[in-house]
Amino acid sequence: MKGRIRDIVCIGAGYVGGPTMAVIADRCPDISVTVIDMNEARIAAWNSDALPVYELGLAEIVRRTRGRNLRFIPQAEGAASIAQADAIFISVNTPTKTQGEGAGKASDLSYVESCARYIAEHATGPTIVIEKSTMPVRAADTIKRILSSGKNGGSFHVLSNPEFLAEGTAIRDLEKPDRVLIGGENVTAIEALAAVYRHWVPDAAILRTGLWSAELSKLAANAFLAQRVSSINAISALCEATEADVDEVAGVCGADTRIGLKFLKASIGFGGSCFKKDLLSLIYLCEFYQLSGPAAYWQGVLDINEWQKRRIAAMAAEYAKLGGGVVAILGLAFKKNTNDFRESPAIDICNQLLAAGIRLRLQDERVDAGDFAKTLVDERKAGFAFFPDIGQAVSGAGAILILTEWDAYAALDWTALARLTAKDAAIFDGRGIVRRAAAQAAGFKVFTVGKGQAPN
Ligand code: UDX
Ligand code: ADP
């Protein structure tokens, strides 16, 4: 196999593949990077000025690399690129299975398997195939089996190189990663990929492990992060009951360097395409290996998350029912600085409010209203509407529920908004970003997660 990677193909132009390949192309002008996707509309968007992924700094990088050493092409035109590639990243979605064995928990590898078949069909020379998507442990076995069925004489080494970027800070995370993880069995292949990252990442930050450790480490890292959020959210409810302040408690706990301050911000619950899916995948693996204790432990992390969403939605619904039954929702994205709303807590919370007969006025800084509307179920015909403007969204509302920590919401002029809302309107701050004194001075009752009882 070749010791040097000059030609990279990435299958999957999503939230991970797109930004990751843009940064590789930016940092490695000597490497040609081709991103292919079966979704032709998505490829067209990557080739336009309206990129399908919103990330700070991404548009600038794409502008300077696209047409230089970065290309986005539809999969239908990808065969020649696969044949020529030294390294192929698989960066497609691995959603939770909805049917068959492990439905509801195990990760669906059918997209990955179809990529492996596509590679086996078109690859001609020695090729490094890299798992970039998060995979269940031993997924590489499946990929190897499919690759070995190729008829074109391609020979393959499979590496696991899971991506640790977080949405909203993807470019920063890619440009200055805490670590890059490469798991594999063949040292030459591992070092060839390490050499790509060494264009901008210090060698000490490139961790080499076995394949199975790499696959499991990604699941474990996400589970640990999710567990911290569930831990502080469990404490937030106790803070509300006891008049302790969750930010103060988090600050004190986090000052212990063994605990650390990050991922201790109380919220309405975690969302995003990774935490729930990866916890479910981990739980499935534990059950598969008959480890019922660990399975129950990780299930508890998920259960607290569901509980936190439900209890905050119930509080807002109860209060809104006393007034006109109208709630303004500020924030639909699962966190700030992204247009992504996959598994966003806003979905469950909005649906719980609609089921309670509450009318919703929705606003977000980046999320596409039409796409988000498809996640809503309005059987009781309570009704919902989207507003581009925050002032319009809160007009006539009896409660304002903040679900995403967008900077624009932290800086709101509550005195001006108080003139638009219903009388006795309350703010339910699910992200701990509202300046309570200013909002209270403007006449609002304020509930902040982890800080005192809900208004009544
Ligand atoms: C996560 C991991 O952080 C990343 O390393 C991995 O590659 C993919 O999964 P992501 O889901 O994009 O990234 O975002 P993250 O910043 O981890 O936030 C996940 C959720 O937890 C968000 O809904 C966020 O609002 C919530 N969260 C995070 C909290 O509620 N409190 C916190 O203190 C931190
Ligand atoms: P992630 O957050 O992991 O990047 P996304 O859903 O944003 O996930 O992106 C995954 C991308 O992979 C989508 O654009 C999808 O069209 C693409 N994809 C899935 N399966 C295949 C496949 N077999 N061949 C090519 N592209 C694929």
Side-chain angles (χ1 to χ4, degrees):
M1 68 148 285
K2 293 181 210 162
R4 178 149 176 225
I5 295 172
R6 292 166 201 273
D7 216 303
I8 287 177
V9 170
C10 174
I11 309 180
Y15 281 91
V16 174
T20 307
M21 292 307 124
V23 169
I24 290 182
D26 196 33
R27 297 301 175 126
C28 310
D30 54 322
I31 296 178
S32 151
V33 181
T34 303
V35 186
I36 66 182
D37 199 296
M38 62 185 184
N39 181 337
E40 299 203 357
R42 205 165 227 201
I43 289 296
W46 279 110
N47 282 317
S48 76
D49 286 335
L51 301 184
V53 171
Y54 173 73
E55 282 292 344
L56 291 168
L58 174 64
E60 289 72 20
I61 294 179
V62 171
R63 216 171 290 134
R64 61 176 177 258
T65 50
R66 200 174 50 193
R68 184 187 79 182
N69 60 333
L70 177 65
R71 306 187 294 154
F72 295 92
I73 60 171
Q75 183 154 10
E77 298 165 22
S81 304
I82 294 283
Q84 200 175 304
D86 305 313
I88 301 171
F89 286 85
I90 300 181
S91 190
V92 299
N93 30 341
T94 50
T96 304
K97 268 176 115 168
T98 52
Q99 51 191 15
E101 201 187 324
K105 282 193 184 144
S107 292
D108 180 354
L109 288 185
S110 58
Y111 300 100
V112 172
E113 288 165 12
S114 99
C115 289
R117 280 193 292 275
Y118 181 70
I119 296 169
E121 190 182 338
H122 298 292
T124 51
T127 313
I128 302 174
V129 175
I130 303 157
E131 296 177 345
K132 184 51 105 179
S133 321
T134 305
M135 308 269 183
V137 185
R138 303 204 72 91
D141 268 344
T142 310
I143 297 176
K144 282 187 212 167
R145 204 174 48 245
I146 297 173
L147 292 174
S148 65
S149 68
K151 305 270 184 294
N152 281 343
S155 62
F156 303 95
H157 288 294
V158 178
L159 299 178
S160 167
N161 172 224
E163 185 47 62
F164 292 106
L165 69 79
E167 287 177 35
T169 53
I171 300 303
R172 192 187 67 200
D173 296 343
L174 285 162
E175 291 185 336
K176 235 181 160 314
D178 285 353
R179 79 296 206 196
V180 165
L181 171 58
I182 305 176
E185 287 158 346
N186 179 285
V187 176
T188 314
I190 293 174
E191 291 312 315
L193 183 57
V196 173
Y197 286 104
R198 268 204 308 274
H199 280 74
W200 77 100
V201 179
D203 192 60
I206 303 176
L207 310 182
R208 285 95 162 158
T209 68
L211 257 181
W212 319 127
S213 302
E215 289 178 334
L216 183 55
S217 297
K218 176 62 199 276
L219 290 179
N222 273 348
F224 286 11
L225 292 170
Q227 173 269 320
R228 286 173 70 90
V229 178
S230 277
S231 293
I232 199 66
N233 282 343
I235 294 291
S236 76
L238 196 55
C239 288
E240 289 159 28
T242 57
E243 292 179 31
D245 176 317
V246 76
D247 285 341
E248 289 179 353
V249 174
V252 173
C253 293
D256 183 329
T257 50
R258 292 170 303 173
I259 298 175
L261 283 164
K262 291 180 182 164
F263 271 70
L264 290 183
K265 182 70 183 164
S267 66
I268 32 68
F270 58 74
S273 68
C274 291
F275 281 2
K276 183 177 177 188
K277 172 177 73 93
D278 292 351
L279 279 165
L280 286 169
S281 175
L282 195 60
I283 293 164
Y284 179 74
L285 278 166
C286 292
E287 288 171 349
F288 182 83
Y289 291 104
Q290 284 154 23
L291 300 167
S292 57
Y297 174 75
W298 294 114
Q299 183 63 48
V301 173
L302 269 181
D303 291 346
I304 288 289
N305 200 51
E306 297 304 313
W307 178 79
Q308 183 80 340
K309 287 187 272 187
R310 274 198 309 276
R311 78 182 186 91
I312 291 174
M315 275 179 207
E318 200 170 311
Y319 186 83
K321 275 187 185 162
L322 300 173
V326 179
V327 171
I329 301 282
L330 299 188
L332 306 173
F334 80 100
K335 61 187 285 198
K336 72 172 179 179
N337 294 338
T338 176
N339 59 344
D340 192 355
F341 59 86
R342 288 177 292 176
E343 298 295 341
S344 176
I347 298 172
D348 285 345
I349 291 173
C350 288
N351 281 325
Q352 188 173 328
L353 289 166
L354 287 169
I358 304 292
R359 273 180 292 144
L360 298 182
R361 300 173 69 81
L362 307 161
Q363 198 273 344
D364 189 87
E365 299 294 290
R366 290 277 170 186
V367 166
D368 183 88
D371 289 342
F372 189 84
K374 293 180 199 146
T375 68
L376 297 180
V377 182
D378 189 14
E379 277 167 1
R380 288 179 60 173
K381 308 273 179 256
F384 59 87
F386 293 87
F387 299 90
D389 177 72
I390 297 168
Q392 287 173 331
V394 305
S395 282
I400 299 171
L401 180 46
I402 299 179
L403 298 183
T404 311
E405 73 283 22
W406 284 106
D407 290 346
Y409 303 157
L412 285 173
D413 176 352
W414 292 108
T415 308
L417 294 181
R419 289 194 278 273
L420 305 171
T421 56
K423 199 171 150 289
D424 283 333
I427 299 166
F428 289 80
D429 176 8
R431 292 293 191 164
I433 56 168
V434 171
R435 281 170 286 128
R436 286 161 67 95
Q440 281 161 343
F444 286 103
K445 296 177 185 176
V446 183
F447 164 79
T448 305
V449 62
K451 298 183 194 220
Q453 303 280 342
N456 49 44

